[in-house]
Amino acid sequence: MKTQSALEKVLAAGHLAVTSECGPPRGALPDKIKEKAELLRGYVDAINVTDNQTAMVRMSSFAACLFIGQMGLQPILQMVTRDRNRLAMQSDIIGAYAHGIDTMLCLTGDHPCFGDHPMAANVYDLDSIQFVQMVKIMRDEGKFQGGDEIQNPPKMFIGAAANPFGDPFELRVARLAKKVKAGADFIQTQCIYDLDRFEKWMEGVRDRGLDEKVSILAGVTPFKSVGMAKYMKNKVPGMSVPDELIKRMSGVPKDKQPEEGIKICVETMQRLKEVKGVRGFHLMAIEWEQKVPEIVERAGLHPRPLV
Amino acid sequence: MITAEQKPIQEIMEYVRPYSRILLVGCNECVTVCAAGGRKEVGLLSSALQMAFMQEGKVLDVKEMTLERQCDPEYVEELAGSINQVEAVLSMACGCGVQEVARRFKEKPVYPALNTKFMGASERQGVWAERCQGCGDCVLGLTGGICPIARCSKRLLNGPCGGSSHGKCEINPDVDCAWQLIWDRLKALGLEKRYEDIAPAKDWRASRDGGPRRIIREDLAS
Ligand code: SF4
Ligand code: SF4
């Protein structure tokens, strides 16, 4: 074991892991984050806490992770390179680790133009691959990025994202290979709707043996409505939503659409379970955390293993 | 070249409103090429200002000059003969030219008539696009001659983010994804393998993060 991470333990024991996410509130509202996290208790192995998701200011991931940790749940600290330079990132990482946070997800982050501060300076001192590399060197060599020694270095279980649906497609396996080379321990993918393209990507991943080197958690997000499905298809860059799914969602009356969305999500998970190299799921029920237990149960992933 | 665009006329008018005699100085280099501050634009702005003030019942006396290079002390010196006849200078050079004039003539207020934009190239008639951010440690040799710092919206050095879609950048479908361009070019050159080398964290000291930069050529410096 590289770390004390609960997620690492679940994966090492050979279970399909389940993670989900909580978006922190847009204000000093500790109860909000606690309520959301409480809904997930017993149904997921760890909870991602987003970092100024879609470039909107929210309570910091670090602070929200602390609340979740105090509840006896396992937070995953998400961090984007958009808002922090390497000094700020490293100090937050050792700070988080000092508070018992041992799992993190290293991201570049959406461009500020999508959020509520499009006028902000963007940082991007590092890219996500250099970020992973930095956290690995902190952990394994006990060194800061600048080269100095760290006293009691942070032992982070290191996650990164992968988007099999971004372009150019032929580069997407190579990009994963780079993240693995940089030191990623686990991967959480972009929401999967286009199973054919995902399976094609996984084929490329397996051909290079990357699935043996990194634990891939397949990302899924249930549609709440046909409107959301269309939004995902048309408005979110680097997302692939097949037309059949839009048709399927619009084929049911409005009040039945949430159930149809959950059905699609569960079916997707069942099919993904059969894909060799998928080591678990990352369930992103955006502002719909209360549905996570049901989805986890229906996908046959409850109860969660005790590790 | 350095590209620039004229400021809104209202903003320029506010700068020159307190004066009745100004020197309007163009530059014959980059800003001439991008049609923002050459001899022709000096003439146009001069008439536009005089007419606008005329409507307010004010006569503005504008002396026009266009220097070979406004960022070069040798040419800026040519203003010495006229500077005492005016109350202020309005410069149509890039920010470098404005500052050179301000440095030389310490007692004279100098105002910019342009917004200096970026180092770029002409894509087609009337269209310029950013190409270089002067990072001080050029990586074009690794990226097929396409700059990931100036042309990727997140200045990523190790490949496309998840938002790259059909060759376009996530920020705007009118913006090319630099990494799609880099990848296409590496393929065309048969250098795909190069993509998998990890580009290490950049040393931004060579860029503006290291403080204001200077080049000293011992062989030329006097
Ligand atoms: S790598 Fe640096 S020097 Fe080279 S083109 Fe890009 S910004 Fe300019
Ligand atoms: S879409 Fe391409 S150009 Fe835009 S930020 Fe991502 S990698 Fe950079």
Side-chain angles (χ1 to χ4, degrees):
Chain A
M1 290 289 206
K2 296 172 187 165
T3 70
Q4 293 292 312
S5 165
L7 181 62
E8 182 178 13
K9 286 179 192 146
V10 170
L11 289 164
H15 302 290
L16 280 175
V18 181
T19 57
S20 188
E21 71 172 23
C22 278
R26 304 202 71 209
L29 302 167
D31 291 345
K32 275 260 179 330
I33 190 84
K34 289 184 199 164
E35 271 164 37
K36 280 187 177 182
E38 195 54 50
L39 294 168
L40 305 173
R41 191 187 290 277
Y43 289 90
V44 300
D45 304 311
I47 302 169
N48 285 52
V49 183
T50 53
D51 179 12
N52 287 343
Q53 189 178 6
T54 61
M56 306 269 276
V57 178
R58 292 171 180 276
M59 181 190 289
S60 71
S61 174
F62 182 4
C65 279
L66 291 186
F67 288 123
I68 293 176
Q70 284 157 9
M71 296 165 68
L73 300 169
Q74 305 295 330
I76 299 177
L77 178 74
Q78 288 197 189
M79 200 182 280
V80 298
T81 69
R82 175 195 61 225
D83 306 333
R84 289 176 172 76
N85 70 5
R86 59 192 92 176
L87 275 87
M89 292 199 294
Q90 292 177 101
S91 69
D92 275 356
I93 292 166
I94 52 179
Y97 183 69
H99 279 284
I101 296 165
D102 51 23
T103 311
M104 65 181 295
L105 184 72
C106 305
L107 303 167
T108 311
D110 295 321
H111 194 273
C113 71
F114 292 105
D116 63 344
H117 290 75
M119 70 301 273
N122 51 52
V123 181
Y124 300 119
D125 180 16
L126 303 179
D127 63 27
S128 56
I129 286 170
Q130 295 159 346
F131 183 8
V132 166
Q133 205 171 34
M134 176 175 83
V135 184
K136 183 181 160 67
I137 289 172
M138 290 173 84
R139 179 186 73 197
D140 295 348
E141 297 175 27
K143 291 217 168 89
F144 288 116
Q145 205 273 336
D148 285 356
E149 216 163 282
I150 310 174
Q151 294 158 25
N152 190 26
K155 305 281 183 202
M156 286 286 179
F157 193 52
I158 307 167
N163 183 6
F165 313 105
D167 287 323
F169 180 67
E170 51 189 342
L171 208 59
R172 291 294 154 181
V173 173
R175 190 152 162 77
L176 179 72
K178 259 180 132 167
K179 289 196 171 173
V180 172
K181 203 200 261 184
D185 300 305
F186 72 96
I187 294 289
Q188 292 174 318
T189 77
Q190 173 67 288
C191 320
I192 301 162
Y193 298 107
D194 185 343
L195 279 156
D196 296 339
R197 183 151 164 179
F198 179 74
E199 283 177 357
K200 203 166 147 216
W201 179 72
M202 280 303 295
E203 219 176 277
V205 169
R206 286 192 305 267
D207 283 348
R208 296 192 52 174
L210 296 171
D211 58 319
E212 312 273 332
K213 296 191 182 132
V214 72
S215 301
I216 297 173
L217 310 187
V220 288
T221 292
F223 295 135
K224 263 181 173 171
S225 63
V226 67
M228 174 179 173
K230 286 186 181 155
Y231 179 84
M232 296 285 237
K233 184 181 174 74
N234 302 321
K235 291 275 150 52
V236 182
M239 182 86 82
S240 172
V241 181
D243 290 327
E244 306 101 75
L245 292 186
I246 306 277
K247 249 193 233 145
R248 202 171 141 184
M249 286 299 288
S250 43
V252 297
K254 209 170 168 43
D255 60 321
K256 297 271 170 14
Q257 284 175 4
E259 168 55 22
E260 194 64 21
I262 288 175
K263 240 195 222 156
I264 292 172
C265 184
V266 171
E267 286 167 22
T268 305
M269 290 168 79
Q270 299 291 10
R271 191 163 147 195
L272 287 168
K273 275 183 170 181
E274 307 303 319
V275 177
K276 189 169 173 275
V278 170
R279 304 281 308 278
F281 294 94
H282 180 45
L283 188 43
M284 294 164 275
I286 304 159
E287 296 302 319
W288 215 19
E289 289 84 358
Q290 64 272 27
K291 288 291 174 188
V292 169
E294 180 186 337
I295 296 170
V296 172
E297 256 173 46
R298 284 167 66 176
L301 293 163
H302 188 256
R304 299 307 311 145
L306 293 169
V307 288
Chain B
M1 83 180 112
I2 294 173
T3 62
E5 272 181 330
Q6 197 176 30
K7 282 180 176 289
I9 187 88
Q10 263 69 30
E11 184 184 345
I12 301 174
M13 283 175 74
E14 288 320 305
Y15 289 141
V16 300
R17 191 175 298 282
Y19 313 109
S20 50
R21 274 167 295 122
I22 63 164
L23 182 60
L24 180 57
V25 193
C27 175
N28 219 358
E29 296 276 359
C30 309
V31 291
T32 295
V33 183
C34 68
R39 195 176 307 276
K40 184 170 160 214
E41 291 75 30
V42 165
L44 290 171
L45 179 61
S46 170
S47 327
L49 282 173
Q50 291 180 67
M51 269 165 61
F53 279 118
M54 191 89 77
Q55 279 172 359
E56 297 181 6
K58 167 181 170 165
V59 179
L60 179 70
D61 181 20
V62 183
K63 183 167 170 51
E64 301 170 21
M65 275 181 92
T66 297
L67 304 180
E68 197 50 38
R69 256 200 307 285
Q70 226 180 103
C71 56
D72 194 330
E74 188 187 326
Y75 296 106
V76 171
E77 200 54 42
E78 291 169 11
L79 299 177
S82 316
I83 202 90
N84 289 328
Q85 301 154 27
V86 299
E87 296 157 296
V89 180
L90 182 61
S91 165
M92 292 194 87
C94 72
C96 311
V98 180
Q99 291 182 63
E100 200 44 41
V101 174
R103 187 182 73 90
R104 170 64 183 82
F105 302 106
K106 293 194 169 49
E107 272 84 55
K108 215 42 87 174
V110 178
Y111 298 96
L114 304 186
N115 288 321
T116 304
K117 307 296 267 199
F118 49 79
M119 284 188 272
S122 172
E123 280 188 340
R124 58 189 147 87
Q125 180 73 22
V127 180
W128 294 270
E130 184 158 19
R131 291 288 182 263
C132 173
Q133 287 198 348
C135 76
D137 185 10
C138 194
V139 301
L140 287 176
L142 304 172
T143 55
I146 290 147
C147 175
I149 293 161
R151 300 177 69 180
C152 165
S153 305
K154 302 179 189 167
R155 61 180 193 187
L156 306 177
L157 290 167
N158 279 291
C161 74
S164 176
S165 188
H166 308 293
K168 298 298 173 186
C169 174
E170 70 170 25
I171 70 156
N172 185 331
D174 295 331
V175 177
D176 288 329
C177 168
W179 273 99
Q180 177 77 55
L181 298 175
I182 293 169
W183 176 243
D184 291 345
R185 182 106 167 95
L186 289 179
K187 268 199 310 192
L189 297 170
L191 293 172
E192 295 97 316
K193 276 225 150 5
R194 185 174 286 178
Y195 171 73
E196 294 209 18
D197 301 335
I198 294 181
K202 198 164 165 68
D203 183 343
W204 295 110
R205 273 175 300 187
S207 187
R208 65 151 291 285
D209 305 82
R213 292 172 280 176
R214 229 168 158 200
I215 296 171
I216 302 175
R217 281 275 303 271
E218 298 293 355
D219 55 334
L220 300 173
S222 51

